[in-house]
Amino acid sequence: MATRVVANKSADCFLAPLLHAAKHGLEACVAAMVRAGVPADAVDSGQPALVVAAEYGHMACVEALLAAGADPNAVDDDCCTAHMLAAAAGHETCLRVLQAAGARVEGASAAYWTPLQAAAKGGFIGCFGAPSLLAPGADVEANGEIGITAMVLAAKYGRAACLEALLAAEAEPDAADTEGFTAMHHAAHNGHGECLAVLLAARANMEAAAN
């Protein structure tokens, strides 16, 4: 009797075969396994295959998993979605594919970052061009329970181009974190002169006091 290979089962400390293929961009292997009946939503060590593929920027694997029925809004054990991790790593093409498949812009949980916040922190201005991140009506002031908007993150990490894009989308230039520190505070504290210039041009409040 032939030995049955369980393709979505972990062995020791290694990722299951589908997860391993998704992580390393082995699209032909991913496609072969889902065609053979391995669930596209397979999870190993708390990580759905789609989330892994998106985090590492493997668009072909993302497409193959979505075509096989993977949930575009699946979350890992940290409540991170494929959409958010793609944005956090600057994988613009994966972001677009996931959005086209119905990935939510607002993120998986109020406690975690939205794709817009993740892209702003990383300075991935190309991700801002993905169809929904700065579309009319997008919530550019979302801060979840971490209490910091994309505007404040961009200023804190010196992402002037992201600041300009957010301001063009009518983000609040005087947005503050939970301690009352504004984008202006963070830009000044971290020595980001270009960000300060952008905020000053937008008439951000220079007199704002933290809590």
Side-chain angles (χ1 to χ4, degrees), residues 114-128:
T114 65
L116 182 62
Q117 288 169 292
K121 179 184 177 183
F124 299 118
I125 188 64
C127 291
F128 280 32

Side-chain angles (χ1 to χ4, degrees), residues 9-16 44-45:
K9 174 79 173 171
S10 292
D12 300 325
C13 63
F14 298 101
L15 285 175
D44 185 19
S45 302

Side-chain angles (χ1 to χ4, degrees), residues 4 34 50 86 97 125 162 186 198 208:
R4 182 182 175 191
V34 294
L50 182 67
V97 168
I125 188 64
C162 293
H186 283 286
V198 170

Side-chain angles (χ1 to χ4, degrees), residues 104-121:
R104 291 190 298 266
V105 175
E106 69 273 16
S109 165
Y112 290 86
W113 294 7
T114 65
L116 182 62
Q117 288 169 292
K121 179 184 177 183

Side-chain angles (χ1 to χ4, degrees), residues 29-51:
C29 296
V30 169
M33 281 186 270
V34 294
R35 280 198 305 269
V38 177
D41 280 324
V43 176
D44 185 19
S45 302
Q47 299 176 311
L50 182 67
V51 173

Side-chain angles (χ1 to χ4, degrees), residues 191-209:
H192 300 312
E194 189 175 357
C195 290
L196 280 172
V198 170
L199 291 164
L200 289 168
R203 301 184 183 280
N205 183 6
M206 293 185 289
E207 308 298 330

